């Protein structure tokens, strides 16, 4: 018989105003503990989950007490267990997750004969969104043409996900063509408050993309985790995390005329990255909150990974409720949300006196101080005020190669590359824009900047401005609702006229799905070594991510994307130089086409309507004809096709036994790569195009795949042979073993041969040799990409020694059984005179009981060097995962035992 719930006494009914009750909830006021009133709102959501799920086994009363005493415990790195209300997947990570579930089901069948024991125990929302490669762009039928191409390329992958929706319980699959996962989550999937069988509780979500944080703008606690960690959460495993500190970010004032939410988020990103918020929650408050729309808040929350925070949280207030009604949530649902949050003191009413919250540290920003800006050319937190852009670009040309430099000799900075584009003469210079994309959930969810872009396009068209025909322009709304209000306003017509046709509803340029440039443009860039530019309204601009041929990539608001497209270059001072010539032959300046805040507000007010969201999301549940016609097998056990190049049975559970293998050290390992600072998950496991000369390309060709059907690494994530070959395959990666050469190669130390990273790794594995990776600071920053840990594991990497790790990637490494080690403060590979040519021995106790979180371990090299590192197993639970050889292996053994 189940024991009585430890907090049964505070289970309280929530009455309806018209009589009856909404349901029951665990009441904070009933605890009568004054410490709760001072907690940040984000921590209250963590507390409620701990109370509701408290069973004194997975979640204990001690966990609850630690959270209530947050003001004292958050600085002590205490470990707690957290169970999110749901899990969010998108298809790039959804396919691997479903593959893993299918493989785990097979493994369980072999171990104990119960194959159907594997089923998600919490709701799983899977949105198929990363499916728009921009092959067709400047044409009215682009969206349909791209969708047809995607279904042809990805039919097997889509069918597999459709099979998963029927083979596993508690899993909702949103069909392709519906929108970007985070915008769909914001406008449709987000519950804010759950009512499950009469139990009320706050929505919280972990997602397999780092920008899951966008939902924090809606007052839902959500953040990105690795796919392997999400799968464990799906199967009922509580997440073990260190109770975070919370940075209070006070907003005041109001944005000036002409300043966009994108300008604000790029400013906030720079401030928070400078402050240092990795591992922290950020919670926004203050009088300025009333000046920010929900979409503005979501824009800021979306970019939490770029400023390094676990999440950027906006508590629920009247603005939230208005947005819920705008996006089609029922009046009854909104009433229940408000009633519950008020009853549990989790609602912010700015008409009432505000309780002073306790925060770990404080920042503040007067919104009136924000100015128009862009970020780039290689990192999202390298903000450049728009007025300084020309000077900054010139400095980048001069600077040595780095995050802000290209090292172009003075004599070559004015180079002109002339070429023929369909019989007409054309030219490119350093800074010429060749890709301009209004894309990404960060901004396409925001009507203000989207309609602002439409107004700018209208003014530009009326003055007779045009965009060069060789530039690749695209518009990728995050949901169908955007198209509805652009059509309603009449502004889509002008976007089309400039070449910004809708190419699809999903992630495009921001994720690297830019598609090919015209051959003549590509040749002009490569043959003349032009530093070509891309401008996009995205959240990431790391090297090699947007397109292999655009070495300069700038993030900016949708209207600024179009302004730079019209100018044709980033080498321009918008205050002094004309954007172009109008139809009357006169110069047209930036100020002539930039819409005012009042103009934008008027268009938003009259054209963004609730029915647009209702009709968009009613259609989602019906699917589309192509999706509905996909045939899937009825069996709950997947029949693996050995000839498939998309879906393949994983080797992770091969020869698995019921007994854990135990912890492992490393002996005489070679260095596979020696890397510097800010190595992103895009460097480790790229999501974009598969280079024609890469090991992955060779594998696909050998298996009968034509080059035109390579698709992307992202779309091939269900196939470990392709992804292992794509590990460290980014063409812009810099491996210090190559003495300055850029590219995905390394030195095989025993022979001195220069090889592709995959080939070198396989040679080491074939000889029975382990490998490690040396790295600098912020290793694994960027996307929550589980393949950035799975790939190295398949290559035989046993440990990564770095100055510091980004939060999600460190967790992923632990989840795959790879040891994350941090150099001591003030030390790194360089200060220790490491060359990468040594052999490394890492001493780890063989008994898991002899290892503790954050333990200092010894590292020695064959040539007599020795130093100590911190083993970044941050919690006791992570040590258990390490003992089992990985998180999923632990989950399988745990499920069988129970």
């Amino acid at each position: 018989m189940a024991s009585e719930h430890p907090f049964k006494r505070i289970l309280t009914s929530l009455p309806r105003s018209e009589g009856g009750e909404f349901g029951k909830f665990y009441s904070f006021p009933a605890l009568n503990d004054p410490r709760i009133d001072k907690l940040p709102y984000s921590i209250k959501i963590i507390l409620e989950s701990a109370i509701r799920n408290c069973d004194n086994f997975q979640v204990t009363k001690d966990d609850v007490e630690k959270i209530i005493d947050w003001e004292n415990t958050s600085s002590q790195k205490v470990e707690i267990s957290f169970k999110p209300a749901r899990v969010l997947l998108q298809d790039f990570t959804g396919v691997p997750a479903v593959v893993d579930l299918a493989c785990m089901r097979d493994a369980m069948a072999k171990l104990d004969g119960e194959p159907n024991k594997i089923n998600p125990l919490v709701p799983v929302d899977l949105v198929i969104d990363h499916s728009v490669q921009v092959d067709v762009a400047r044409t009215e039928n682009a969206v349909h043409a791209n969708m047809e191409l995607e279904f042809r390329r990805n039919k097997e992958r889509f069918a597999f996900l459709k099979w998963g929706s029927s083979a596993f319980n508690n899993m909702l699959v949103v069909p392709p063509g519906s929108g970007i996962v985070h915008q769909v989550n914001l406008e449709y999937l987000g519950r804010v408050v759950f009512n499950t069988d009469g139990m009320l509780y706050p929505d919280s979500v972990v997602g397999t993309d780092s920008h899951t944080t966008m939902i924090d703008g809606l007052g839902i606690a959500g953040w990105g985790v690795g796919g392997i960690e999400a799968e464990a959460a799906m199967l009922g495993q509580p997440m073990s995390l260190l109770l975070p500190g919370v940075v209070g970010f006070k907003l005041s004032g109001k944005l000036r005329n002409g300043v966009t939410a994108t300008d604000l988020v790029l400013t906030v990103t720079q401030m928070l990255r400078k402050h240092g918020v990795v591992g922290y929650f950020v919670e926004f408050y203050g009088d300025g909150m009333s000046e920010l729309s929900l979409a503005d808040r979501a824009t800021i929350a979306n970019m939490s990974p770029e400023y390094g925070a676990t999440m950027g949280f906006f508590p629920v207030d009247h603005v939230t409720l208005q947005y819920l009604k705008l996006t089609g949530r029922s009046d009854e649902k909104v009433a229940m949300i408000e009633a519950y949050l008020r009853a549990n003191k989790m609602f912010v009413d700015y008409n009432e006196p505000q309780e002073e919250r306790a925060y770990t540290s404080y920042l503040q920003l007067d919104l009136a101080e924000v100015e128009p800006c862009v970020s780039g050319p290689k990192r999202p937190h390298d903000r450049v005020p728009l007025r300084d852009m020309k000077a900054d670009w010139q400095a980048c040309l001069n600077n040595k190669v780095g995050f802000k430099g290209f090292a172009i000799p003075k004599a070559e900075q004015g180079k002109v590359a002339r070429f023929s584009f369909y019989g007409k003469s054309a030219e490119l210079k350093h800074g010429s824009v060749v890709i301009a994309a209004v894309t990404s959930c960060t901004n396409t969810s925001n009507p203000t900047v989207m309609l602002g872009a439409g107004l700018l396009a209208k003014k530009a068209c009326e003055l007779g401005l045009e965009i060069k025909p060789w530039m690749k322009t695209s518009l990728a709304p995050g949901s169908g609702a955007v198209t509805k209000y652009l059509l309603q306003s009449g502004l889509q017509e002008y976007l089309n006229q400039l070449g910004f046709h809708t190419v699809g509803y999903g992630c495009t340029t921001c994720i690297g799905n830019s598609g090919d440039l015209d051959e003549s443009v590509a040749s002009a860039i490569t043959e003349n070594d032009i530093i070509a530019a891309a401008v996009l309204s995205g959240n990431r601009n790391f090297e090699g991510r947007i397109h292999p041929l655009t070495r300069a990539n700038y993030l900016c608001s949708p209207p600024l994307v179009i302004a730079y497209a019209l100018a044709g270059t980033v080498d321009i001072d918008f205050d002094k130089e004309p954007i172009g010539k109008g139809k009357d032959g006169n110069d047209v300046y930036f100020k002539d086409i930039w819409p005012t805040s009042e103009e934008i507000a008027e268009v938003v007010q009259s054209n963004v309507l609730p029915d647009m969201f209702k009709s968009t999301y009613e259609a989602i549940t019906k699917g589309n004809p192509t999706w509905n016609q996909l045939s899937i097998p009825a069996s709950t056990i997947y029949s693996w096709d050995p000839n498939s190049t998309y879906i393949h049975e994983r080797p992770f559970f091969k020869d698995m036994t019921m007994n854990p293998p135990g912890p492992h050290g490393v002996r005489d390992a070679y260095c596979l790569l020696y890397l510097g600072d800010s190595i992103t998950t895009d460097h480790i496991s790229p999501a974009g195009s598969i280079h024609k000369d890469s090991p992955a390309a060779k594998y696909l060709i050998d298996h009968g795949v034509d080059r035109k059907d390579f698709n992307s690494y992202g779309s091939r994530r269900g196939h470990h042979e392709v992804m292992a070959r794509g590990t460290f395959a980014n063409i812009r990666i810099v491996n210090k073993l190559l003495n300055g050469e850029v590219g995905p190669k390394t030195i095989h130390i025993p022979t001195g041969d220069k090889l592709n990273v995959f080939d070198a790794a396989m040679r080491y594995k074939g000889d029975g040799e382990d490998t490690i990776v040396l790295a600098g600071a912020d290793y694994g920053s960027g996307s929550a990409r589980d393949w950035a840990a799975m790939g190295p594991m398949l290559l035989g990497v046993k440990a990564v020694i770095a100055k510091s790790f980004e939060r999600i990637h460190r967790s992923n490494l632990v989840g795959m059984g790879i040891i994350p080690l941090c150099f001591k403060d003030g030390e790194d590979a360089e200060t220790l005179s490491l060359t990468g040519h040594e052999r490394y021995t890492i001493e780890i106790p063989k008994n898991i009981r002899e290892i503790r979180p954050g333990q200092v371990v010894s590292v020695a090299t064959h040539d007599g060097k020795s130093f100590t590192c911190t083993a970044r197993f941050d919690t006791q639970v992570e040590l258990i995962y390490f003992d089992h050889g990985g998180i999923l292996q632990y989950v399988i053994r745990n499920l069988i035992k129970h």
Side-chain angles (χ1 to χ4, degrees):
M1 182 179 292
S3 60
E4 185 173 271
H5 194 285
F7 290 93
K8 182 181 177 182
R9 66 182 178 83
I10 65 167
L11 193 60
T12 307
S13 294
L14 181 67
R16 294 173 182 266
S17 58
E18 65 273 22
E21 64 175 48
F22 286 110
K24 296 190 176 350
F25 69 103
Y26 288 97
S27 168
F28 290 155
L31 282 172
N32 196 28
D33 192 323
R35 292 176 297 176
I36 296 176
D37 292 335
K38 295 186 70 177
L39 290 178
Y41 289 98
S42 49
I43 296 297
K44 283 189 172 185
I45 294 178
I46 306 298
L47 173 60
E48 191 284 335
S49 174
I51 290 173
R52 177 168 36 86
N53 290 296
C54 185
D55 58 2
N56 280 328
F57 173 60
Q58 290 186 323
V59 183
T60 67
K61 288 185 75 173
D62 188 44
D63 287 324
V64 173
E65 172 56 28
K66 287 174 183 174
I67 301 169
I68 291 176
D69 199 35
W70 172 85
E71 200 168 353
N72 296 313
T73 56
S74 62
S75 61
Q76 299 171 17
K77 294 188 175 181
V78 300
E79 180 182 353
I80 61 164
S81 294
F82 172 62
K83 284 194 170 187
R86 62 189 170 100
V87 172
L88 181 70
L89 307 174
Q90 27 77 302
D91 67 328
F92 268 18
T93 46
V95 170
V98 177
V99 168
D100 283 338
L101 288 175
C103 289
M104 290 170 78
R105 182 181 276 170
D106 290 350
M108 286 192 71
K110 292 172 185 174
L111 285 169
D112 79 340
E114 287 196 47
N116 289 318
K117 220 172 183 178
I118 296 283
N119 268 308
L121 299 177
V122 300
V124 176
D125 300 323
L126 196 161
V127 182
I128 304 176
D129 76 331
H130 283 306
S131 54
V132 186
Q133 182 84 5
V134 187
D135 291 288
V136 181
R138 301 181 91 166
T139 172
E140 290 283 4
N141 70 345
V143 64
H144 303 293
N146 284 314
M147 182 60 73
E148 286 176 9
L149 286 166
E150 290 310 316
F151 262 98
R152 192 190 73 218
R153 287 183 180 129
N154 299 299
K155 183 178 179 181
E156 181 185 354
R157 190 162 59 95
F158 293 166
F160 177 71
L161 289 176
K162 191 174 181 183
W163 168 82
S165 69
S166 61
F168 298 101
N169 298 332
N170 220 10
M171 183 182 290
L172 168 69
V173 175
V174 177
S178 304
I180 302 174
V181 57
H182 307 307
Q183 191 161 341
V184 173
N185 193 21
L186 189 77
E187 296 175 355
Y188 176 63
L189 295 172
R191 281 73 153 180
V192 185
V193 174
F194 268 88
N195 187 343
T196 302
D197 300 326
M199 178 63 71
L200 305 173
Y201 53 95
D203 190 358
S204 58
V205 58
V206 292
T208 54
D209 185 90
S210 52
H211 293 105
T212 300
T213 54
M214 186 174 191
I215 203 65
D216 302 334
L218 198 62
I220 297 171
W223 60 86
V225 296
I228 44 186
E229 196 173 0
E231 289 163 33
M234 286 160 52
L235 296 169
Q237 178 69 19
M239 299 178 62
S240 179
L241 67 149
L242 297 178
L243 189 60
V246 183
V247 176
F249 198 123
K250 187 175 184 179
L251 298 171
S252 61
K254 182 179 180 179
L255 292 174
R256 289 180 288 135
N257 190 16
V259 177
T260 68
T262 316
D263 302 320
L264 170 59
V265 74
L266 294 178
T267 303
V268 168
T269 297
Q270 186 184 47
M271 288 177 66
L272 286 169
R273 184 56 81 168
K274 183 178 179 181
H275 186 73
V277 292
V278 173
Y280 286 79
F281 291 175
V282 176
E283 187 166 293
F284 294 88
Y285 69 104
D287 295 341
M289 292 279 282
S290 60
E291 298 295 334
L292 295 183
S293 70
L294 197 290
D296 292 345
R297 300 173 184 192
T299 302
I300 296 170
N302 179 291
M303 284 190 73
S304 296
E306 280 64 55
Y307 44 83
T310 303
M311 65 176 179
F313 187 76
F314 290 81
V316 175
D317 60 12
H318 286 105
V319 173
T320 320
L321 301 181
Q322 290 164 8
Y323 180 82
L324 291 170
K325 291 179 180 179
L326 170 67
T327 49
R329 275 78 163 199
S330 69
D331 289 343
E332 182 177 353
K333 170 74 173 173
V334 175
M336 181 269 286
I337 290 169
E338 182 176 6
Y340 167 78
L341 293 174
R342 282 187 180 276
N344 229 11
K345 294 192 174 181
M346 298 172 74
F347 184 84
V348 182
D349 190 333
Y350 291 104
N351 295 319
E352 299 173 357
Q354 297 299 299
E355 180 82 27
E356 187 66 31
R357 306 273 137 196
Y359 292 114
T360 308
S361 61
Y362 296 81
L363 280 175
Q364 60 182 16
L365 174 65
D366 181 349
L367 297 177
E369 295 176 359
V370 178
E371 60 180 316
C373 57
V374 302
S375 276
K378 302 179 184 183
R379 295 191 301 187
H381 54 280
D382 289 334
R383 187 181 70 90
V384 184
L386 195 61
R387 56 185 164 78
D388 297 336
M389 181 58 185
K390 186 179 180 72
D392 192 82
W393 171 253
Q394 296 293 333
C396 285
L397 290 179
N398 290 320
N399 294 343
K400 66 179 183 180
V401 174
F403 296 122
K404 293 289 289 185
F406 299 104
I408 303 298
K410 285 279 187 187
E412 295 182 22
Q413 290 182 10
K415 180 195 294 184
V416 178
R418 293 182 172 83
F419 63 102
S420 175
F421 183 79
Y422 293 92
K424 293 186 177 180
S425 60
E427 61 181 45
L428 293 176
K429 300 178 181 177
H430 293 306
S432 289
V433 176
V434 295
I435 291 176
V438 176
T439 180
S440 173
C441 50
T442 314
N443 285 288
T444 62
S445 61
N446 194 324
T448 301
V449 291
M450 294 302 287
L451 288 167
L455 283 171
L456 184 140
K458 180 175 185 287
K459 291 172 182 276
C461 289
E462 288 171 346
L463 289 169
L465 294 181
E466 295 180 342
I467 289 172
K468 298 290 190 293
W470 59 81
M471 190 183 302
K472 190 158 194 177
T473 50
S474 61
L475 168 64
S479 83
V482 179
T483 293
K484 287 183 170 67
Y485 63 66
L486 284 173
L487 288 171
Q488 167 86 12
S489 64
L491 296 175
Q492 183 67 59
E493 169 191 346
Y494 301 102
L495 290 164
N496 289 350
Q497 192 173 323
L498 292 181
F500 287 90
H501 296 87
T502 299
V503 296
Y505 299 93
C507 293
T508 56
T509 305
C510 191
I511 193 66
N513 284 352
S514 307
D516 291 335
L517 293 174
D518 185 87
E519 210 169 289
S520 63
V521 177
S523 297
I525 294 171
T526 55
E527 290 169 9
N528 296 277
D529 198 25
I530 294 292
I531 308 292
V535 288
L536 64 150
S537 59
N539 43 43
R540 295 247 164 92
N541 55 341
F542 303 129
E543 282 186 288
R545 179 184 176 101
I546 307 307
H547 191 282
L549 297 181
T550 58
R551 280 188 270 172
N553 302 284
Y554 286 94
L555 307 179
C556 55
S557 66
L560 266 182
V561 167
I562 298 175
Y564 273 113
L566 289 162
T569 180
V570 295
D571 185 14
I572 183 173
D573 183 339
F574 279 142
D575 286 340
K576 299 174 181 176
E577 299 175 76
I579 280 183
K581 290 200 178 289
K583 57 190 174 186
D584 56 5
N586 294 327
D587 287 340
V588 176
Y589 289 83
F590 180 77
K591 61 183 174 59
D592 298 327
I593 60 172
W594 192 259
T596 65
S597 299
E598 290 76 17
E599 288 174 313
I600 295 172
E602 184 180 335
V603 176
V604 170
Q605 182 68 32
S606 55
N607 292 286
V608 183
L609 308 170
D611 283 347
M612 295 175 177
F613 295 91
K614 285 181 183 176
S615 61
T616 297
Y617 289 108
E618 281 170 1
I620 274 184
T621 57
K622 298 172 185 173
N624 57 64
T626 316
W627 169 263
N628 295 336
Q629 287 165 16
L630 286 175
S631 60
I632 58 171
S635 171
T636 58
I637 299 293
Y638 192 73
S639 180
W640 304 101
D641 177 1
N643 298 315
S644 172
T645 57
Y646 277 103
I647 310 295
H648 202 286
E649 185 176 11
R650 297 264 216 267
F652 304 149
F653 311 111
K654 188 179 180 182
D655 302 325
M656 180 181 165
T657 63
M658 275 300 295
N659 294 321
H664 65 83
V666 176
R667 188 154 300 279
D668 288 331
Y670 286 102
C671 178
L672 183 62
L673 298 104
Y674 177 9
L675 306 168
D677 293 344
S678 295
I679 292 297
T680 70
T681 51
D682 282 287
H683 287 114
I684 306 167
S685 183
S689 58
I690 298 172
H691 194 272
K692 61 183 176 62
D693 298 322
S694 65
K698 183 178 185 303
Y699 177 87
L700 292 173
I701 290 168
D702 289 347
H703 285 75
V705 180
D706 291 335
R707 187 186 168 197
K708 65 181 176 60
D709 294 322
F710 279 2
N711 216 331
S712 64
Y713 282 114
S715 67
R716 301 269 179 189
R717 284 183 185 169
H719 200 288
H720 68 274
E721 295 286 4
V722 177
M723 296 307 294
R725 287 163 173 79
T727 303
F728 297 111
N730 189 301
I731 63 170
R732 296 293 174 199
I733 198 167
V734 178
N735 177 8
K736 295 183 182 182
L737 293 178
L738 297 177
N739 298 317
E741 183 180 337
V742 178
K745 293 186 182 292
T746 195
I747 300 298
H748 180 253
I749 303 298
T751 62
D753 293 345
K754 184 169 73 172
L755 303 170
N756 285 308
V757 175
F758 174 79
D759 295 330
M762 291 305 100
R763 189 179 289 187
Y764 283 125
K765 285 190 79 171
D767 293 339
E769 305 285 2
D770 291 338
T771 55
I772 62 135
V773 171
L774 290 175
D778 299 326
Y779 183 77
S781 56
S783 298
R785 192 160 297 164
D786 50 1
W787 267 110
M790 290 179 178
M793 187 276 283
L794 291 174
L795 296 188
V797 173
K798 300 300 181 185
V800 178
I801 311 176
K803 288 178 71 175
S804 62
F805 293 91
E806 200 76 351
R807 175 185 63 87
I808 300 173
H809 185 62
R810 185 205 61 80
S811 174
N812 280 342
L813 291 174
V814 173
M816 293 309 298
I818 296 175
I819 306 168
L821 296 177
C822 273
F823 291 108
K824 286 167 58 178
D825 285 349
E827 292 184 351
D828 57 23
E830 211 167 89
T831 63
L832 293 167
S833 301
L834 302 176
T835 66
H837 288 262
E838 305 87 353
R839 300 190 73 173
Y840 294 80
T841 295
I842 302 166
E843 298 292 346
I844 299 282
K846 293 181 179 179
N847 189 330
I848 195 66
R849 293 183 180 86
E850 296 176 13
I851 312 174
R852 65 184 185 278
Q855 182 157 331
V856 174
V857 300
S858 298
V859 183
T861 65
H862 79 286
D863 57 356
K865 302 184 183 91
S866 64
F867 53 97
T868 57
C869 290
T870 302
R872 287 296 308 278
F873 301 109
D874 288 358
T875 67
Q876 202 64 46
V877 171
E878 288 187 343
L879 285 171
I880 294 172
Y881 296 156
F882 183 53
D883 185 49
H884 278 259
I887 187 172
L888 298 182
Q889 289 83 349
Y890 167 77
V891 170
I892 289 178
R893 294 184 180 108
N894 198 46
L895 283 172
I896 291 173
K897 284 180 181 178
H898 297 93

